[in-house]
């Protein structure tokens, strides 16, 4: 026979579990609510398959930035330079697609690199910017906010210097040299799904595998949850920190390539304030800004919430000023819910087997072979 105390605490526990469940699933519930509301307001436009795919292609830009940002936030940092990195990747792509004039070097030749070389060069520049951020933060102990804020301005300035603030247009390439096809990334589809969405899904699968199935993922959650404890357990926290910024730069560059292809132009101001949208998507997705908690799935949901809300407001004819107000209100609400969710929790509590659930696992000492692999 159960005691009165046990029967009295059971309903309270069920209420607590229900509240925790609602908090955990708030991004999904918000996305469902947005879809239902705008489907009712614009039944002939918003819920159609073609419109959803178009909105998803817009979301892919935010989602790619946010997934890179998630890695940095899981590590307890912040990356304010992703918007500038996006813009610089587009400028590099535009510069190469327009042809590289080698006459200043005494060679009367204009070099047109193939599209795959253009893509690799842009991604390489993104990785280099991330490497600079990582070295500043991990090796020189510069605060992430300060280091990436400086990189934000430096990269944006360099992008402006490339064209004196002008924009690259027309990425058709030269058919005779075989470097056409850059528009494929932004406009083509496979089985009706935009290429940008497929790239977003591929990056999400890879990052989910890294976080949940690899030694690096366990190191990342451990160092983000408690850097000191992780370091004492043998986790190479500085190396992890450098790599998360490099991966953030890579995802930002991929987003820049897709955006440049969609716009068929590249300007030095592209991606301005996108870093804030990426941070908002991570927060709406339930990640803790203190580090150690968060998932790729939640971040994707957060990006879809922002993207579907913005596009829905445009479809129903809400003014751009009210769009900003609504988006800001959603972000503030997400931050408040995050505060409630993580209130009273110690940021450095590792829990056994939590690596696959978006929480900090125990910082285990790495084997020498594993360390070499990363």
């Amino acid at each position: 026979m159960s005691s009165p105390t046990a029967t009295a605490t059971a309903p309270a526990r069920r209420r607590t579990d229900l509240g925790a469940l609602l908090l955990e699933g708030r991004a999904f519930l918000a996305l469902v609510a947005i879809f239902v509301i705008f489907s009712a307001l614009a039944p002939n436009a918003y819920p159609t398959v073609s419109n959803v795919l178009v909105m998803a292609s817009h979301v892919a830009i935010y989602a790619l930035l946010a997934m890179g940002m998630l890695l940095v936030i899981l590590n307890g940092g912040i990356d304010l330079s992703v918007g500038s990195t996006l813009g610089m990747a587009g400028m590099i792509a535009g510069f190469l697609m327009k042809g590289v004039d080698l006459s200043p070097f005494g060679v009367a030749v204009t070099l047109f690199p193939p599209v795959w070389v253009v893509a690799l060069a842009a991604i390489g520049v993104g990785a280099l910017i991330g490497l600079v951020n990582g070295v500043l933060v991990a090796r020189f102990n510069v605060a992430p906010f300060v280091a990436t804020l400086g990189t934000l301005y430096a990269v944006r300035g360099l992008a402006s210097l490339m064209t004196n603030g002008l924009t690259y247009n027309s990425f058709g390439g030269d058919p005779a040299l075989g470097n056409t096809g850059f528009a494929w990334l932004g406009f083509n589809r496979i089985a009706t799904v935009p290429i940008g969405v497929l790239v977003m899904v591929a990056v999400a699968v890879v990052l989910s595998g890294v976080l949940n199935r690899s030694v690096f993922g366990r190191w990342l959650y451990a160092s983000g949850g408690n850097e000191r404890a992780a370091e004492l357990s043998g986790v190479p926290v500085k190396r992890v920190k450098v790599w998360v910024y490099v991966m953030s730069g890579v995802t930002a560059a991929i987003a820049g390539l897709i955006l440049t292809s969609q716009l068929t132009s590249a300007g030095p101001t592209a991606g301005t304030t996108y870093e804030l949208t990426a941070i908002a998507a991570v927060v709406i997705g339930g990640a803790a800004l203190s580090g150690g908690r968060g998932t790729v799935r939640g971040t994707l949901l957060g990006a879809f919430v922002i993207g579907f809300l913005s596009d829905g407001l445009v479809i129903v004819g809400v003014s751009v000023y009210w769009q900003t107000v609504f988006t800001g209100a959603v972000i503030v609400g997400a931050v408040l819910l995050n505060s409630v969710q993580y209130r009273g929790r110690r940021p450095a509590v590792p829990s056994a087997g939590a690596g696959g659930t978006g929480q900090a696992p125990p910082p285990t000492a790495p084997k020498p072979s594993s360390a070499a692999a990363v």
Side-chain angles (χ1 to χ4, degrees), residues 35-362:
F35 195 83
V36 170
I37 292 172
F38 285 109
S39 295
L41 294 175
N44 297 324
Y46 191 83
T48 62
V49 174
S50 61
N51 186 53
V52 168
L53 289 175
V54 170
M55 290 193 295
S57 67
H58 299 162
V59 171
I61 307 297
Y62 301 142
L64 285 166
L65 289 175
M67 284 188 283
M69 185 70 74
L70 170 68
L71 301 179
V72 178
I73 288 178
L74 283 176
N75 193 241
I78 199 80
D79 188 354
L80 298 180
S81 67
V82 292
S84 298
T85 304
L86 178 150
M88 175 58 89
M91 293 296 287
I92 294 294
F95 171 74
L96 295 177
M97 289 299 293
K98 297 294 286 184
V100 182
D101 184 12
L102 299 181
S103 58
F105 302 99
V107 182
V109 174
T110 300
L111 182 63
F112 289 91
V115 173
W116 65 269
V117 172
V118 173
L120 287 180
I123 292 173
V125 169
L128 179 61
I129 295 170
L131 179 63
V132 171
N133 284 331
V135 170
L136 287 173
V137 174
R139 300 296 178 184
F140 294 96
N141 295 321
V142 180
F145 179 87
V146 177
T148 57
L149 181 63
T151 310
L152 179 156
Y153 282 107
V155 172
R156 188 73 73 191
L158 289 173
S160 299
L161 285 172
M162 289 179 67
T163 60
N164 287 325
L166 301 179
T167 300
Y168 286 118
N169 294 303
S170 180
F171 297 94
D174 190 337
L177 298 171
N179 67 333
T180 59
F182 189 73
W184 176 85
L185 190 60
F187 292 100
N188 278 34
R189 299 183 177 211
I190 296 178
T192 73
V193 180
I195 300 297
V197 177
L198 295 176
V199 172
M200 175 191 70
V201 172
V203 172
V205 171
V206 170
L207 291 185
S208 293
V210 169
L211 289 180
N212 299 325
R213 303 292 181 185
S214 72
V215 174
F216 180 83
R218 291 196 292 275
W219 286 350
L220 175 54
Y221 278 113
S223 59
N226 188 326
E227 183 173 319
R228 181 59 180 160
E231 190 171 23
L232 292 175
S233 300
V235 175
V237 294
K238 290 186 177 180
R239 194 192 315 170
V240 170
K241 194 167 290 185
V242 171
W243 272 108
V244 296
Y245 282 97
V246 171
M247 288 191 281
S248 178
V250 168
T251 57
I254 295 173
L257 287 172
I258 296 174
L259 181 64
T260 301
S261 181
Q262 290 177 349
L263 299 176
T264 64
S265 66
T269 59
T272 302
T273 72
Y274 277 27
E275 57 275 356
L276 303 180
T277 306
I279 295 171
V282 175
V283 172
I284 292 172
L289 288 174
S290 55
R293 299 176 186 274
T295 62
V296 172
R297 180 183 62 251
T299 299
L300 282 178
L301 286 172
F304 272 91
V305 166
I306 293 177
F308 278 29
L309 174 64
S310 299
D311 287 352
L313 292 171
V314 172
I315 290 173
V316 299
V318 175
S319 75
V320 66
Y321 307 115
W322 278 109
Q323 290 175 31
T324 306
V325 172
F326 282 125
T327 305
V330 169
I331 294 171
V332 170
V335 171
L336 288 176
L337 290 175
N338 263 25
S339 176
V340 172
Q341 182 179 9
Y342 297 117
R343 181 185 301 161
R345 295 188 184 183
R346 295 170 57 192
V349 178
S351 57
T357 58
Q359 298 181 347

